[in-house]
Amino acid sequence: MTRKGRVERGTGETQVLVEIDLDGTGRVDVATGVGFFDHMLAQLGKHGSFDLTVKTTGDLHIDSHHTIEDTAIALGAAFREALGDKSGIRRFADASIPLDEALAQVTVDVSGRPYLVHVEPDGMAPMIGPEYDTTMTRHVFESFVSNARVALHVHVPYGRNAHHIVEAQFKALARALRDAVAFDPKVHGIPSTKGAL
């Protein structure tokens, strides 16, 4: 069984291609035109051990919002497609990842029900580099969750450097998703009393 997803999404604002292989080795080929966001998507692929291709062209002459948002939408949809019927997976997972002074804690349920809880420290710097508005991190997760149909809790109890705070979240998400979609030899069929996820 191959667990691959491929989504092409085009609007008047962006053109996005996302390909993901949940059983890959962490090979990443990402280009959105937003350097810091590319760096975060690379963390997701590498630390999730997902092969991930992302190619986005967007209206960056306006700002990076549409490019980041539409990429996250397509990423969630490709992830959902790759999961198939979710038979045999662990479903639940969590990860705590430190990055210097920052700590990110992520818990995920591949539940079929989208829900996000997202908590960051107050007083974060508003921008990372010239293009990444730090309020977009929550919006990335909202867009991903809605389209992947997972429940995601992200908590950063402390941290000072905005780059570290955001990067720790993407790394923790990668590790939690990696564990949640892993096959569990004790799980037969769909891991739910409902018989569907």
Side-chain angles (χ1 to χ4, degrees):
M1 181 179 70
T2 61
R3 297 195 298 167
K4 297 180 180 180
R6 186 179 192 276
V7 169
E8 290 187 76
R9 185 176 191 273
T11 72
E13 299 164 341
T14 62
Q15 296 291 321
V16 184
L17 167 67
V18 174
E19 297 176 334
I20 190 167
D21 181 352
L22 300 184
D23 301 309
T25 59
R27 291 193 309 268
V28 176
D29 182 12
V30 175
T32 68
V34 182
F36 181 76
F37 188 49
D38 289 354
H39 181 45
M40 294 304 96
L41 294 174
Q43 303 307 313
L44 188 64
K46 180 67 175 179
H47 295 288
S49 290
F50 307 135
D51 290 345
L52 180 62
T53 298
V54 179
K55 301 295 180 184
T56 304
T57 56
D59 54 359
L60 294 176
H61 61 286
I62 296 175
D63 67 10
S64 63
H65 185 107
H66 298 143
T67 296
I68 294 171
E69 175 183 55
D70 289 359
T71 300
I73 289 169
L75 178 63
F79 184 85
R80 181 176 167 220
E81 179 183 306
L83 278 171
D85 69 359
K86 307 172 191 172
S87 182
I89 66 168
R90 291 186 60 194
R91 176 179 169 181
F92 304 101
D94 63 88
S96 293
I97 298 292
L99 183 55
D100 296 349
E101 85 297 341
L103 177 69
Q105 301 164 324
V106 169
T107 305
V108 65
D109 176 9
V110 183
S111 61
R113 297 183 308 279
Y115 199 90
L116 175 67
V117 175
H118 184 251
V119 180
E120 288 178 320
D122 293 332
M124 277 184 63
M127 299 292 294
I128 299 172
E131 299 165 323
Y132 190 86
D133 178 340
T134 56
T135 65
M136 287 302 292
T137 304
R138 179 185 179 91
H139 195 41
V140 167
F141 296 153
E142 287 170 338
S143 300
F144 176 79
V145 160
S146 294
N147 290 275
R149 295 190 183 172
V150 301
L152 176 64
H153 291 235
V154 180
H155 182 220
V156 182
Y158 48 81
R160 292 187 308 276
N161 181 278
H163 187 131
H164 294 165
I165 289 168
V166 176
E167 185 171 339
Q169 292 175 66
F170 276 87
K171 287 179 173 176
L173 174 61
R175 290 309 297 256
L177 289 175
R178 174 181 173 175
D179 290 347
V181 304
F183 290 113
D184 185 337
K186 291 187 175 183
V187 174
H188 302 284
I190 307 300
S192 171
T193 56
K194 297 175 181 172
L197 286 174

